[in-house]
Amino acid sequence: MGLLGPSFPGTPIHPGRARAAEPQAATPAAKAIAKKAYEQGTAHYKKAEWDLAIEQFEICQQNFPQPVFLYNIAQAHNKAGRPKPALEYYKKYLEAAPTAQNRADVEQIYARIARASQHHRLEILEQGRVEKRLFQRWHMGFATAPQT
């Protein structure tokens, strides 16, 4: 699943967009800030620049609160391999958009992350923006361990 798009003034509602039960009032200036941040966040997301995307989607949520921004933040955390904040934002999204058309899909993602054995007793030791990759040639992978 990718990102969801918000409803800005003059933009038709897409059937897959989640709507809050009661729309939040926002000034035209705040909506303009949110729209620009959404465009930048989407561009960062497409480049797999997860932290930059999250920053922009948080700006959207601060200026023009909509459930879709919570979902997009969750998606970026999930793609970045941060299950705890991903779960928190998926939960916030489901609470803010109880009738979202993608609810079943999001619940499935949430359940998959929550039941993954490597995610028990999650504890964030450090969180923040990383300016550069510290281990240039290090990659995660899977291999079957030899039987001893």
Side-chain angles (χ1 to χ4, degrees):
M1 289 175 52
L3 298 176
L4 293 178
S7 175
F8 290 106
T11 305
I13 301 295
H14 182 275
R17 291 187 178 142
R19 298 294 303 258
E22 294 181 26
Q24 299 282 339
T27 66
K31 290 177 185 178
I33 290 168
K35 186 173 183 178
K36 182 176 180 183
Y38 172 74
E39 291 166 355
Q40 291 175 346
T42 300
H44 288 301
Y45 186 92
K46 289 178 181 178
K47 294 182 206 171
E49 297 170 343
W50 313 124
D51 291 330
L52 296 173
I54 290 165
E55 287 177 20
Q56 294 303 310
F57 295 140
E58 287 175 341
I59 291 169
C60 295
Q61 185 65 12
Q62 291 166 0
N63 286 279
F64 188 44
Q66 292 193 35
V68 296
F69 300 132
L70 300 171
Y71 173 83
N72 292 347
I73 293 167
Q75 284 287 89
H77 277 298
N78 191 20
K79 295 280 190 180
R82 291 189 289 265
K84 188 171 183 176
L87 290 173
E88 290 171 9
Y89 277 95
Y90 284 130
K91 184 175 181 181
K92 289 178 184 181
Y93 168 72
L94 292 171
E95 290 170 354
T99 60
Q101 289 186 350
N102 67 340
R103 184 176 189 84
D105 293 331
V106 174
E107 288 173 339
Q108 206 170 39
I109 293 169
Y110 187 97
R112 187 186 74 236
I113 294 170
R115 74 174 172 258
S117 61
Q118 70 268 30
H119 299 159
H120 291 284
R121 294 185 315 240
L122 293 173
E123 184 177 343
I124 298 173
L125 300 176
E126 184 175 338
Q127 185 172 336
R129 188 170 175 188
V130 176
E131 297 299 324
K132 65 178 184 171
R133 189 173 178 173
L134 299 177
F135 305 100
Q136 296 297 324
R137 296 184 181 179
W138 186 79
H139 299 281
M140 291 186 72
F142 174 81
T144 304
Q147 298 295 325
T148 57

